[in-house]
Amino acid sequence: SVESAGLPPHRPRSSLAVQALACERVRERVLATMFSGWGADAQAQGQGFQPAEMFSMVQNQPRAMTKAEKAEEVRCGCMDEEAPSGSRMLYENDLSYQLAQSYYWSGIFLKDWVFFVCNWHPFIGMFCSHPNHPWHKKERILTFIVSCSITMLPSALFIRGLQSQKFTQTETSMAIFIAITLPVSILEVALYWLSVGDVFCKGGKLECCTWIVACFKNACLGGSLVVSALSLLLSYMCLGDADPMDLAHPFLVSRFQSYVTWFPIWTLLPCMGFLHCWCMEKSALQAS
């Protein structure tokens, strides 16, 4: 009522104006009650927060992205941003979470597929991923170095085997794909999920585990560098009398196979591929 809201009764108002002003007064009273202790402490420290300022702080709490905001985030960049700015800071955690596992962004299939390639492809992503993607470009470059180094050892062993047996071109390509390309591709996927693992702990009940996951991630990435160095050393030792330049052929073939076969595999793969997950997210969004 007007009296309970503390409105002066002498000035005539329309019913809508009275209701709006009453709601405003009630809102201020509720906020004043909720933050009475905080407000008293702040005034004692000379800050003097008012209910309206407290309400503004409540409005600036972290939140999830809206559908329109998610569509606007379809962008790429050659450099990483330290942190989102402006209103994007409010959904920073949700943005990182969505970039790590979501496929449906703008609702346009081809546009979302190109955005998916820019973020997920192991080579293209080093240059075109989203500036705020949790798999940072430095980590992508590190993953690229590790995968290339580990590719050297099976390449050297493969060359050693070729010295005693003769294979056709088709047999050679198939052997490289099975012995080198597939294992390295699985390793790259594992390094990806390891790099973004801490994102799934932020802003939830597992917030306290974020630093543990981050430390484990850094330890694993550091261990990967050590393994890469050992792999390069063993590769050189396994070559024997062979020309080190002979490594180039199986290495380049393996890298080419990995980057080309990535497109059909991660587009059509059931349950984890872009086509399946994009359609599932679209159906879930329409149902809600």
Side-chain angles (χ1 to χ4, degrees):
S1 65
V2 176
E3 291 78 6
S4 63
L7 302 179
H10 60 275
R11 179 181 293 181
R13 292 176 171 86
S14 66
S15 60
L16 291 178
V18 170
Q19 292 177 9
L21 189 53
C23 290
E24 180 67 19
R25 293 292 178 84
V26 171
R27 180 181 67 84
E28 291 185 359
R29 286 188 178 184
V30 171
L31 288 173
T33 302
M34 291 173 58
F35 299 101
S36 58
W38 180 25
D41 293 340
Q43 289 179 355
Q45 297 174 7
Q47 298 178 21
F49 289 123
Q50 297 299 321
E53 295 172 342
M54 297 177 186
F55 183 70
S56 177
M57 294 178 183
V58 173
Q59 285 183 318
N60 291 331
Q61 293 299 310
R63 58 176 175 81
M65 288 188 295
T66 64
K67 182 179 178 180
E69 289 171 340
K70 188 175 181 180
E72 292 176 356
E73 288 294 339
V74 180
R75 58 195 186 95
C76 304
C78 295
M79 300 295 293
D80 286 333
E81 291 182 3
E82 294 296 330
S85 58
S87 61
R88 296 174 63 241
M89 295 178 61
L90 301 179
Y91 55 80
E92 178 182 2
N93 289 340
D94 187 54
L95 174 61
S96 298
Y97 178 80
Q98 297 293 340
L99 286 170
Q101 56 86 41
S102 181
Y103 297 78
Y104 188 92
W105 289 81
S106 66
I108 304 174
F109 182 85
L110 182 59
K111 183 177 181 180
D112 287 349
W113 181 80
V114 172
F115 185 61
F116 166 77
V117 171
C118 291
N119 282 312
W120 289 66
H121 194 275
F123 184 78
I124 298 176
M126 290 192 296
F127 311 99
C128 302
S129 62
H130 191 284
N132 296 116
H133 199 287
W135 191 18
H136 303 298
K137 290 181 174 61
K138 293 180 180 179
E139 296 173 341
R140 293 172 185 264
I141 294 174
L142 177 61
T143 302
F144 174 77
I145 295 174
V146 169
S147 61
C148 289
S149 301
I150 294 179
T151 303
M152 292 295 184
L153 180 57
S155 298
L157 295 174
F158 186 79
I159 292 173
R160 194 170 182 177
L162 286 178
Q163 292 177 344
S164 58
Q165 300 180 16
K166 294 184 178 181
F167 294 96
T168 64
Q169 185 68 28
T170 302
E171 292 174 341
T172 300
S173 299
M174 289 298 299
I176 292 175
F177 180 79
I178 296 174
I180 303 176
T181 304
L182 279 181
V184 173
S185 298
I186 295 173
L187 175 65
E188 289 177 341
V189 174
L191 290 175
Y192 166 77
W193 288 110
L194 180 65
S195 298
V196 302
D198 56 331
V199 171
F200 299 95
C201 299
K202 294 180 179 179
K205 296 181 180 180
L206 298 178
E207 181 75 30
C208 59
C209 299
T210 302
W211 70 274
I212 300 177
V213 177
C215 291
F216 178 74
K217 175 185 72 175
N218 294 331
C220 290
L221 291 177
S224 299
L225 288 177
V226 175
V227 173
S228 300
L230 293 175
S231 177
L232 289 175
L233 179 61
L234 292 175
S235 301
Y236 179 77
M237 294 173 61
C238 290
L239 279 175
D241 298 333
D243 187 358
M245 293 302 296
D246 291 340
L247 277 173
H249 177 258
F251 171 78
L252 293 177
V253 170
S254 174
R255 293 289 82 197
F256 179 79
Q257 288 177 343
S258 176
Y259 296 148
V260 172
T261 56
W262 183 95
F263 289 96
I265 290 176
W266 284 101
T267 300
L268 305 175
L269 186 68
C271 299
M272 296 181 62
F274 174 81
L275 178 61
H276 176 86
C277 293
W278 189 88
C279 293
M280 291 293 291
E281 289 187 40
K282 180 180 180 180
S283 300
L285 186 63
Q286 291 176 346
S288 61

